[in-house]
Amino acid sequence: MTGLRPSLRKRVSTGLPLGRRAFDLLTLTMGFVVLVHALHLPWWLTAALAVVAGGRWWHRRHGGRKIAALIRLPLLAALLAVVILHYGTMFGREPGSAFAVGLLVLKLLETDETRDARVGVAFACFALMSALLFDQSLVASAFVSLGLLPALTTLCAVEDPDAEQRRWSMQWKPVLLALLASVPLSVFAFLFIPRLSSPLWGTPDSGQAATGLSPQLSPGGMLDLMTDDTPAMRVTFDGPPPPNSLRYFRAYVMQLFDGTAWTPGSHSTRRPPSDVQYAQRIGYHASIEPTHDRTVPMLDLPTTAPQDTTLRPDRTVQANRRIDDTVNFTAFAATRYRLEPTLDDGVRHDNLQLPMGVGPRARALAQSWAQRYGDDHAAIVRAALAMFHADFSYTLAPEPLDRDRIDDFLFQTKQGYCEHFASTFTFLMRAAGVPARVVTGYQGGYWNSGAHYLLVRRSDAHAWSEVWLEGQGWVRFDPTAAVRPERVELGAAAAAEASGGEGWLGPAWLRELRNRWDVVNQWWSRGVIGFDSLRQQGLLRPFGVNHADVTDLAVVLAVGCSLLVAIALGWAVFQRREGDALDAWMRRLERKLSRAGVVRRTGEGPKHFLARAARAMPAQRNALERLSKLYLRSRYAHDEPPPESISEFGRAVRELTARRVVK
């Protein structure tokens, strides 16, 4: 690994000088590595590395040799310093990749020999692979695979003494063909190399939740999430999907309010799961993208907890460990239910509490409803929803709220999105003496009728309220639906469009294209990323092996690889040898002379053949003698015919006009 960092002392030259073409390709390879990692590197580091690589290419292009150690060492120290200052550590996925990519670019400063190029290409391939630690999607994997093309072309140019004379197309073509030929063997190895049930190693990461769903809700806290259209989960149903108005996915239930933020209550973890009554339930299968969190969004209302999860008292579900990889599970839910018909005193107390001094005008309004409707809590709910429907508007860019957020939103700004409506509605219910709480999760999603699954994106994040009514238990009310019904019936993007403009997720045609492309992503996620040891053990089930162990897989792998190698060797041995481009032009010349009556004899060499043709065709003697000299010089004066000589010979063949020999 010592060759991967700039040398600290002068090294005695032991390799051949690196050609211009090979250095150009090496620079392209390292630039591609920087581009692959650009999405997770700081923009200023990406720009600095691009400037260093471009400057080094320009320097060598104008005759410069390797950069002096007095320049390389400060750059190495600066790279180490900025990585530690920015990330706070040298360990982990992000700082490790940033430092590795930086070292790779700095290696270019001392690259001047073929040995340096080989080391640089080897480390570049490792850096390309490390990009898959951040994103394993189909597009990202294809982009990383594309990076192998300049890397392997660099190695070919290093070994080719005539690389400078070859056209660029001739440089890429054999590498591209070799990569395509390796695909069958790669697929076979992917399927049958025995897999471990868990990886051999891992890397620490920032631990930041990828969903943005948080056990704390305050106005403005969900905005970044609601403008992110990254897939959060995909769901298939055993029967027909529920209507959009029932597609609520429950993540957090929040009972405590401090005047600014809502958080779960103390009784949410110390009791058994709340009682639920339902007539029927639906089964579904979900695939959740990594969140680096333990909360599992479940279709409302979950009746049981999936494997390796826990059903909490408020009917939310928590995984036994963090969701750091794509997780698949089967679950059941009741979309119509009675939740906790009898309310515990402690839960009632928690769901009636309000902080002192917050929302005095809101309290007065709620108490006026309580005086008017008395114990008819359903009428109080209807009054609040009617007020939201008449006087409030939906927008993702509301005016900033003052210190008393409840009163300011309720009587001044009157515009916002789900966080504002759910928080204020729940506050009003409690102020009127009605137990209420806030629930967050996802709502809606895109139903792909062709692939029969529901795509839920992070932008489908939502907040709503649950109100406890006598005889009905906890009932879901969505004040956002009262303000903007499109949000629940048609989805988040439709609500934004109804508020004016094309929406924050782009025009409708672009959203439709992304949703349809997700079918490919789902196939990739299930078929490639989700191909684990359990699925591998079932590969041989069609052949009567119900549970393939390591021995079975190894036997199939050995036999399959042997067959593929035998096929490749057979193709190499028995394929028709057509020669190179120079021979192709010679065969064309032979056909042209044959039509004129001069046929090449068996065993006749090119020199004697063209000399005989010149004697038989006096009018073309000069042209044929020139063709003879061009061919002999191109074929025997070089290890490989130079492209320029081939082109000149080809032009001469095309220009030759062969008239029939008169005997």
PDB file of all heavy atoms in Angstrom, residues 413-433:
ATOM      1  N   THR A 413     -51.588  34.263  10.811  1.00  0.00           N
ATOM      2  CA  THR A 413     -51.110  33.793   9.505  1.00  0.00           C
ATOM      3  C   THR A 413     -52.145  32.935   8.786  1.00  0.00           C
ATOM      4  O   THR A 413     -52.358  33.074   7.583  1.00  0.00           O
ATOM      5  CB  THR A 413     -49.807  32.995   9.670  1.00  0.00           C
ATOM      6  OG1 THR A 413     -50.059  31.811  10.437  1.00  0.00           O
ATOM      7  CG2 THR A 413     -48.752  33.832  10.383  1.00  0.00           C
ATOM      8  N   LYS A 414     -52.741  31.975   9.481  1.00  0.00           N
ATOM      9  CA  LYS A 414     -53.785  31.104   8.943  1.00  0.00           C
ATOM     10  C   LYS A 414     -53.363  30.357   7.678  1.00  0.00           C
ATOM     11  O   LYS A 414     -54.188  30.058   6.816  1.00  0.00           O
ATOM     12  CB  LYS A 414     -55.066  31.905   8.667  1.00  0.00           C
ATOM     13  CG  LYS A 414     -55.697  32.501   9.907  1.00  0.00           C
ATOM     14  CD  LYS A 414     -57.027  33.152   9.593  1.00  0.00           C
ATOM     15  CE  LYS A 414     -57.671  33.686  10.875  1.00  0.00           C
ATOM     16  NZ  LYS A 414     -59.010  34.269  10.625  1.00  0.00           N
ATOM     17  N   GLN A 415     -52.099  30.056   7.572  1.00  0.00           N
ATOM     18  CA  GLN A 415     -51.618  29.287   6.432  1.00  0.00           C
ATOM     19  C   GLN A 415     -50.470  28.392   6.875  1.00  0.00           C
ATOM     20  O   GLN A 415     -49.663  28.774   7.730  1.00  0.00           O
ATOM     21  CB  GLN A 415     -51.182  30.195   5.290  1.00  0.00           C
ATOM     22  CG  GLN A 415     -50.106  31.209   5.656  1.00  0.00           C
ATOM     23  CD  GLN A 415     -49.687  32.062   4.474  1.00  0.00           C
ATOM     24  OE1 GLN A 415     -48.498  32.268   4.245  1.00  0.00           O
ATOM     25  NE2 GLN A 415     -50.647  32.557   3.728  1.00  0.00           N
ATOM     26  N   GLY A 416     -50.404  27.208   6.307  1.00  0.00           N
ATOM     27  CA  GLY A 416     -49.353  26.261   6.671  1.00  0.00           C
ATOM     28  C   GLY A 416     -49.603  24.925   6.019  1.00  0.00           C
ATOM     29  O   GLY A 416     -50.307  24.810   5.017  1.00  0.00           O
ATOM     30  N   TYR A 417     -49.050  23.873   6.620  1.00  0.00           N
ATOM     31  CA  TYR A 417     -49.243  22.523   6.097  1.00  0.00           C
ATOM     32  C   TYR A 417     -49.536  21.597   7.262  1.00  0.00           C
ATOM     33  O   TYR A 417     -49.922  22.070   8.348  1.00  0.00           O
ATOM     34  CB  TYR A 417     -48.045  22.065   5.267  1.00  0.00           C
ATOM     35  CG  TYR A 417     -46.693  22.304   5.895  1.00  0.00           C
ATOM     36  CD1 TYR A 417     -46.059  21.313   6.620  1.00  0.00           C
ATOM     37  CD2 TYR A 417     -46.045  23.535   5.764  1.00  0.00           C
ATOM     38  CE1 TYR A 417     -44.825  21.524   7.192  1.00  0.00           C
ATOM     39  CE2 TYR A 417     -44.809  23.754   6.334  1.00  0.00           C
ATOM     40  CZ  TYR A 417     -44.202  22.751   7.050  1.00  0.00           C
ATOM     41  OH  TYR A 417     -42.977  22.969   7.620  1.00  0.00           O
ATOM     42  N   CYS A 418     -49.381  20.296   7.076  1.00  0.00           N
ATOM     43  CA  CYS A 418     -49.940  19.326   8.012  1.00  0.00           C
ATOM     44  C   CYS A 418     -49.476  19.537   9.452  1.00  0.00           C
ATOM     45  O   CYS A 418     -50.256  19.364  10.390  1.00  0.00           O
ATOM     46  CB  CYS A 418     -49.626  17.909   7.544  1.00  0.00           C
ATOM     47  SG  CYS A 418     -47.853  17.541   7.406  1.00  0.00           S
ATOM     48  N   GLU A 419     -48.211  19.905   9.645  1.00  0.00           N
ATOM     49  CA  GLU A 419     -47.710  20.108  11.009  1.00  0.00           C
ATOM     50  C   GLU A 419     -48.519  21.176  11.739  1.00  0.00           C
ATOM     51  O   GLU A 419     -48.899  21.005  12.900  1.00  0.00           O
ATOM     52  CB  GLU A 419     -46.251  20.545  10.962  1.00  0.00           C
ATOM     53  CG  GLU A 419     -45.286  19.491  10.494  1.00  0.00           C
ATOM     54  CD  GLU A 419     -43.872  20.039  10.432  1.00  0.00           C
ATOM     55  OE1 GLU A 419     -43.720  21.265  10.518  1.00  0.00           O
ATOM     56  OE2 GLU A 419     -42.934  19.244  10.298  1.00  0.00           O
ATOM     57  N   HIS A 420     -48.738  22.299  11.060  1.00  0.00           N
ATOM     58  CA  HIS A 420     -49.463  23.413  11.678  1.00  0.00           C
ATOM     59  C   HIS A 420     -50.899  23.016  12.007  1.00  0.00           C
ATOM     60  O   HIS A 420     -51.401  23.289  13.111  1.00  0.00           O
ATOM     61  CB  HIS A 420     -49.461  24.614  10.741  1.00  0.00           C
ATOM     62  CG  HIS A 420     -48.101  25.090  10.350  1.00  0.00           C
ATOM     63  ND1 HIS A 420     -47.362  24.486   9.358  1.00  0.00           N
ATOM     64  CD2 HIS A 420     -47.339  26.117  10.828  1.00  0.00           C
ATOM     65  CE1 HIS A 420     -46.211  25.124   9.229  1.00  0.00           C
ATOM     66  NE2 HIS A 420     -46.158  26.112  10.101  1.00  0.00           N
ATOM     67  N   PHE A 421     -51.579  22.346  11.048  1.00  0.00           N
ATOM     68  CA  PHE A 421     -52.977  22.007  11.255  1.00  0.00           C
ATOM     69  C   PHE A 421     -53.147  20.949  12.340  1.00  0.00           C
ATOM     70  O   PHE A 421     -54.013  21.076  13.215  1.00  0.00           O
ATOM     71  CB  PHE A 421     -53.585  21.520   9.936  1.00  0.00           C
ATOM     72  CG  PHE A 421     -53.513  22.541   8.833  1.00  0.00           C
ATOM     73  CD1 PHE A 421     -52.932  22.231   7.622  1.00  0.00           C
ATOM     74  CD2 PHE A 421     -54.015  23.819   9.017  1.00  0.00           C
ATOM     75  CE1 PHE A 421     -52.864  23.170   6.607  1.00  0.00           C
ATOM     76  CE2 PHE A 421     -53.950  24.768   8.010  1.00  0.00           C
ATOM     77  CZ  PHE A 421     -53.367  24.445   6.796  1.00  0.00           C
ATOM     78  N   ALA A 422     -52.329  19.889  12.305  1.00  0.00           N
ATOM     79  CA  ALA A 422     -52.464  18.830  13.306  1.00  0.00           C
ATOM     80  C   ALA A 422     -52.134  19.342  14.703  1.00  0.00           C
ATOM     81  O   ALA A 422     -52.827  19.025  15.675  1.00  0.00           O
ATOM     82  CB  ALA A 422     -51.556  17.653  12.942  1.00  0.00           C
ATOM     83  N   SER A 423     -51.070  20.136  14.825  1.00  0.00           N
ATOM     84  CA  SER A 423     -50.672  20.660  16.135  1.00  0.00           C
ATOM     85  C   SER A 423     -51.752  21.571  16.721  1.00  0.00           C
ATOM     86  O   SER A 423     -52.148  21.429  17.883  1.00  0.00           O
ATOM     87  CB  SER A 423     -49.351  21.411  15.998  1.00  0.00           C
ATOM     88  OG  SER A 423     -48.982  22.005  17.224  1.00  0.00           O
ATOM     89  N   THR A 424     -52.254  22.502  15.899  1.00  0.00           N
ATOM     90  CA  THR A 424     -53.251  23.454  16.394  1.00  0.00           C
ATOM     91  C   THR A 424     -54.580  22.762  16.681  1.00  0.00           C
ATOM     92  O   THR A 424     -55.248  23.056  17.685  1.00  0.00           O
ATOM     93  CB  THR A 424     -53.449  24.576  15.369  1.00  0.00           C
ATOM     94  OG1 THR A 424     -52.184  25.159  15.064  1.00  0.00           O
ATOM     95  CG2 THR A 424     -54.377  25.641  15.904  1.00  0.00           C
ATOM     96  N   PHE A 425     -54.991  21.838  15.812  1.00  0.00           N
ATOM     97  CA  PHE A 425     -56.242  21.114  16.024  1.00  0.00           C
ATOM     98  C   PHE A 425     -56.187  20.323  17.327  1.00  0.00           C
ATOM     99  O   PHE A 425     -57.145  20.334  18.120  1.00  0.00           O
ATOM    100  CB  PHE A 425     -56.492  20.184  14.839  1.00  0.00           C
ATOM    101  CG  PHE A 425     -57.707  19.328  14.982  1.00  0.00           C
ATOM    102  CD1 PHE A 425     -58.961  19.806  14.655  1.00  0.00           C
ATOM    103  CD2 PHE A 425     -57.603  18.016  15.452  1.00  0.00           C
ATOM    104  CE1 PHE A 425     -60.094  19.006  14.787  1.00  0.00           C
ATOM    105  CE2 PHE A 425     -58.720  17.211  15.588  1.00  0.00           C
ATOM    106  CZ  PHE A 425     -59.970  17.707  15.257  1.00  0.00           C
ATOM    107  N   THR A 426     -55.086  19.633  17.582  1.00  0.00           N
ATOM    108  CA  THR A 426     -54.954  18.853  18.812  1.00  0.00           C
ATOM    109  C   THR A 426     -54.973  19.769  20.036  1.00  0.00           C
ATOM    110  O   THR A 426     -55.581  19.439  21.073  1.00  0.00           O
ATOM    111  CB  THR A 426     -53.649  18.039  18.777  1.00  0.00           C
ATOM    112  OG1 THR A 426     -53.628  17.228  17.600  1.00  0.00           O
ATOM    113  CG2 THR A 426     -53.525  17.150  19.991  1.00  0.00           C
ATOM    114  N   PHE A 427     -54.324  20.924  19.941  1.00  0.00           N
ATOM    115  CA  PHE A 427     -54.343  21.889  21.045  1.00  0.00           C
ATOM    116  C   PHE A 427     -55.780  22.328  21.338  1.00  0.00           C
ATOM    117  O   PHE A 427     -56.201  22.398  22.511  1.00  0.00           O
ATOM    118  CB  PHE A 427     -53.476  23.095  20.680  1.00  0.00           C
ATOM    119  CG  PHE A 427     -53.328  24.099  21.785  1.00  0.00           C
ATOM    120  CD1 PHE A 427     -52.224  24.075  22.632  1.00  0.00           C
ATOM    121  CD2 PHE A 427     -54.292  25.078  22.005  1.00  0.00           C
ATOM    122  CE1 PHE A 427     -52.092  24.996  23.659  1.00  0.00           C
ATOM    123  CE2 PHE A 427     -54.165  26.006  23.027  1.00  0.00           C
ATOM    124  CZ  PHE A 427     -53.060  25.966  23.852  1.00  0.00           C
ATOM    125  N   LEU A 428     -56.556  22.637  20.302  1.00  0.00           N
ATOM    126  CA  LEU A 428     -57.935  23.085  20.496  1.00  0.00           C
ATOM    127  C   LEU A 428     -58.782  22.003  21.155  1.00  0.00           C
ATOM    128  O   LEU A 428     -59.615  22.292  22.024  1.00  0.00           O
ATOM    129  CB  LEU A 428     -58.535  23.489  19.150  1.00  0.00           C
ATOM    130  CG  LEU A 428     -58.007  24.788  18.534  1.00  0.00           C
ATOM    131  CD1 LEU A 428     -58.500  24.934  17.108  1.00  0.00           C
ATOM    132  CD2 LEU A 428     -58.419  25.989  19.376  1.00  0.00           C
ATOM    133  N   MET A 429     -58.579  20.739  20.736  1.00  0.00           N
ATOM    134  CA  MET A 429     -59.360  19.658  21.328  1.00  0.00           C
ATOM    135  C   MET A 429     -59.064  19.539  22.821  1.00  0.00           C
ATOM    136  O   MET A 429     -59.989  19.387  23.645  1.00  0.00           O
ATOM    137  CB  MET A 429     -59.050  18.342  20.609  1.00  0.00           C
ATOM    138  CG  MET A 429     -59.540  18.273  19.171  1.00  0.00           C
ATOM    139  SD  MET A 429     -61.330  18.478  18.986  1.00  0.00           S
ATOM    140  CE  MET A 429     -61.413  20.203  18.459  1.00  0.00           C
ATOM    141  N   ARG A 430     -57.818  19.577  23.178  1.00  0.00           N
ATOM    142  CA  ARG A 430     -57.469  19.470  24.597  1.00  0.00           C
ATOM    143  C   ARG A 430     -58.008  20.647  25.391  1.00  0.00           C
ATOM    144  O   ARG A 430     -58.476  20.482  26.530  1.00  0.00           O
ATOM    145  CB  ARG A 430     -55.949  19.373  24.750  1.00  0.00           C
ATOM    146  CG  ARG A 430     -55.362  18.072  24.221  1.00  0.00           C
ATOM    147  CD  ARG A 430     -53.893  17.925  24.573  1.00  0.00           C
ATOM    148  NE  ARG A 430     -53.355  16.640  24.144  1.00  0.00           N
ATOM    149  CZ  ARG A 430     -52.153  16.183  24.476  1.00  0.00           C
ATOM    150  NH1 ARG A 430     -51.353  16.937  25.247  1.00  0.00           N
ATOM    151  NH2 ARG A 430     -51.744  15.008  24.066  1.00  0.00           N
ATOM    152  N   ALA A 431     -57.926  21.830  24.799  1.00  0.00           N
ATOM    153  CA  ALA A 431     -58.439  23.017  25.505  1.00  0.00           C
ATOM    154  C   ALA A 431     -59.943  22.920  25.711  1.00  0.00           C
ATOM    155  O   ALA A 431     -60.482  23.531  26.652  1.00  0.00           O
ATOM    156  CB  ALA A 431     -58.085  24.274  24.716  1.00  0.00           C
ATOM    157  N   ALA A 432     -60.639  22.166  24.862  1.00  0.00           N
ATOM    158  CA  ALA A 432     -62.084  21.982  25.005  1.00  0.00           C
ATOM    159  C   ALA A 432     -62.421  20.779  25.880  1.00  0.00           C
ATOM    160  O   ALA A 432     -63.608  20.440  26.028  1.00  0.00           O
ATOM    161  CB  ALA A 432     -62.718  21.813  23.628  1.00  0.00           C
ATOM    162  N   GLY A 433     -61.398  20.108  26.435  1.00  0.00           N
ATOM    163  CA  GLY A 433     -61.635  18.981  27.317  1.00  0.00           C
ATOM    164  C   GLY A 433     -61.768  17.655  26.599  1.00  0.00           C
ATOM    165  O   GLY A 433     -62.276  16.685  27.181  1.00  0.00           O
TER     166      GLY A 433
END
